[in-house]
Amino acid sequence: MSLAQILSKIQTIKTESGHRDVPVKLIAVSKVQPIERVRKVLEDGYRIFGENKVQEAAGKWPALIEEFGPTELHLLGPLQSNKTRQAMELFDVIHSVDRLKIAKTIARIAVEIGKCPQLFIQVNTGDEPQKAGIAPDQLDAFIAECRVLELPIIGLMCIPPASEEPTFHFKMLAEMAKRNNLPELSMGMSGDFEEAVACGATHVRVGSAIFGDRDYS
Ligand SMILES: *Cc1c(COP(=O)(O)O)cnc(C)c1O
């Protein structure tokens, strides 16, 4: 699918599912993709991208931004303490806040550098041991702690278990966001962004459907 086709699909589903007035941001996930594919989307005028690793993003985006102008960058992957400052300098939005230690580090650096990206809390909706994210039963307490730290938390993010019906997880995330008065929902990838939009996603993170398969070899 082209990016334009995905944008149009999102509009259709929004209308059909009664979320017509919810703005949905399509994040083009450029991690691991050959640079020509990324440049093509930039040349088409698109300016909202997502990356998984701070190091990888730092290696390509400063030059691309220099060349193509301001570009909104979203960090989707796990954040390590020693990369936090670099991530906060480079990214406009971080989707993967998932523990108090990182929340405190972000709060401290925000004071030092005088700015802070907008933040999502990642929720491990399937309680999967190998997956990042805060457990659903600890979420409300964690949000309260982030609010004490005065962090700009705007919403919740999830990656549903690969083997399960994603809609169940998207609805759970929407419910948790609502009860905590958080307006934004980062959910849906290439395989399930349609279901996510139908459940009220405000940010969908789509990589391979736009750029083609990633080659990790
Ligand atoms: C890689 C990645 C995506 C995009 O995945 P696709 O299946 O290629 O659309 C979205 N979100 C996160 C957190 C990712 O790591």
Side-chain angles (χ1 to χ4, degrees), residues 1-14:
M1 256 186 280
S2 69
L3 192 131
Q5 285 170 318
I6 294 172
L7 285 170
S8 130
K9 187 98 209 166
I10 290 171
Q11 287 309 318
T12 307
I13 298 166
K14 270 170 58 170

Side-chain angles (χ1 to χ4, degrees), residues 73-87:
L73 290 184
H74 294 250
L75 177 63
L76 312 175
L79 191 53
Q80 297 153 327
S81 296
N82 62 347
K83 302 267 170 60
T84 304
R85 183 182 301 267
Q86 196 182 10

